[in-house]
Amino acid sequence: MSDKLIIAQSRRSTLDLLLPMANRHGLIAGATGTGKTVTLQVLAEQFSRVGIPVFMADIKGDLSGLSQPGGGNIKVEARAKELGLASIEYADNPVIYWDVFGQKGHPLRATISDVGPVLLARILNLNDTQTGVLTAVFKVADDQGWLLLDLKDLRAMLQYASQNAQKLAAQYGNISAASVGAIQRGLLQLEHEGGEHLFGEPMLNFADLLQTNADGRGVISILSAETLHNTPRLYATLLLWLLSELYENLPEVGDLDKPKLVFFFDEAHLLFNDAPRVLLNKIEQVVRLIRSKAVGIYFVSQNPLDIPDVILGQLGNRVQHALRAFTPKDQKAVKSAAQTFRPNPQIDVEAAITELAVGDALISFLDEKGRPQPVEIGKIFPPMSRLGPVTDLERQKIIRKSSISGYYEEIIDRESAYEILKDQVEKKTGKEMQPEGDPGFDWRDILGKKEVSKRSGRQPQGIIESMARSAARTVGTEIGRQIMRGILGSILGKTRR
């Protein structure tokens, strides 16, 4: 097996990515339509062929073609002829399709507990105070031993914390009703955007991302993100959670001959947009340390300036496609991108960035000692798999043949916080608390469960129920509201002026 991947051809030689340096991370950048997707596809299939599993998100659906052999594409054949290739050995790749919504791949889920309060706060766009309350709620659940698996568990815990705020304040701090309300509204919005599909069980088994097939080729996991990326916070948080879990669960192995996994993060700017400092610190830590777990991360974005400097400085392998310089901001981006490369006296990098043809790129990979090589202009090799999306029939065939087919499709709903708290309420109130005759009205909702419990022995139950039903029928009118206030005042012992 070769210890390098041939990615592109310069005027003088091939431009090779050394496998021992592949876990030093990388960047694929360039304007729309300049060839980033093809470069990503070429890298993915070459990693797969040397036994390295790959994970990537498919924003446009184009990358799904990795599962099918290429052929019949005029542009691919023209590029092969331009590079002097006698022929292309078209071939497919082992692929697993994933989809949070379960429509275009196996469902990909996480539990609320595993995502944690910091990442969840990012999805819900919470401020510092609200994030603190959410963290306290997670801590209460942990101390009680109550599992948080899906959104209904978290809602139940928020309601519990709000109702017991005074009792919990001494140990967990103030849990204000306003903050709980803001979190609940955020959960409603998340559910409206389809976020409930992400949370639950069975949760993703990360061993399924590290598979090789019977031929020793790395399996390419493709996450369908055509719908998901329309909810940028959910998309970015999901991928960051995947990175964080890989970092937490994989053992330290140091520098190996090749990575255990390569992770492509398309539309990388979504990860950093409006990210709070605590989250940026988390991303920096993961990127800096995960290479010792033999994981390489490759960010894909239109502009290098989309990546914070502390992250950009750790991306050793770079492929820069053309940038457009139509505005002063664009010109600044071109200049900044040019300055990130190791200079080559024979190339005016700043001028070349705006003149590159589609499929050409400025390329600088690390050498065997981990040093950036001088930048070269290279023509990206054509992919051996299909350039373009699969059909629905082809996709479903791959899904059915998958080694994990049927496992993630069956939802598991075991006992967790929601079920435990529901059982506690039912045991406290008892069936005798249910009003008879009118299933659409619950007297406890008006008086509160505790008030009914205290007074149930003092007044005949039938009279109270009769009054309640009568009040419910008339509460929609102004007279009804006045009568109700009078009834409540009498029962609760309050005087009216």
Side-chain angles (χ1 to χ4, degrees), residues 356-367:
L356 291 168
V358 175
D360 294 356
L362 289 160
I363 299 173
S364 175
F365 295 137
L366 298 177
D367 64 17

Side-chain angles (χ1 to χ4, degrees), residues 41 45 49 62-73 76-77 88-95 97 217 382-391 394 397-398 401:
Q41 184 168 340
E45 65 182 19
R49 290 180 191 285
D62 295 347
L63 294 169
S64 61
L66 277 159
S67 67
Q68 305 297 320
N73 188 299
V76 170
E77 292 173 357
I88 304 176
E89 297 180 3
Y90 293 115
D92 58 4
N93 299 280
V95 166
Y97 293 119
R217 296 168 62 186
M384 292 174 277
S385 54
R386 180 186 297 176
L387 195 60
V390 296
T391 65
E394 290 169 334
K397 184 178 179 180
I398 296 292
K401 288 172 57 180

Side-chain angles (χ1 to χ4, degrees), residues 10 31 60 82 95 103 117 153 181 223 228 297 308 404 415 425 453 475:
S10 71
K60 297 177 290 185
E82 185 181 5
V95 166
Q103 298 174 353
D153 290 326
L223 173 65
L228 183 63
I297 305 172
I404 59 173
E415 185 180 70
V425 170
S453 178
V475 73

Side-chain angles (χ1 to χ4, degrees), residues 257-274:
D257 293 337
K258 63 180 183 180
K260 287 185 175 182
L261 175 72
V262 171
F263 192 105
F264 288 98
F265 201 130
D266 202 1
E267 298 293 338
H269 65 279
L270 298 177
L271 179 60
F272 306 104
N273 285 351
D274 303 321

Side-chain angles (χ1 to χ4, degrees), residues 98-113:
W98 299 91
D99 182 7
V100 167
F101 304 103
Q103 298 174 353
K104 294 188 175 183
H106 304 289
L108 191 155
R109 300 187 193 89
T111 65
I112 292 288
S113 292

Side-chain angles (χ1 to χ4, degrees), residues 12 15 17 35 61 86 96-97 102 142 145 178 187 230 248 326 353 378 387 390 437:
R12 297 179 298 176
L15 301 177
L17 174 60
I96 292 180
Y97 293 119
D142 286 342
L187 291 176
N230 292 324
E248 295 292 339
F326 300 128
I353 289 180
L387 195 60
V390 296

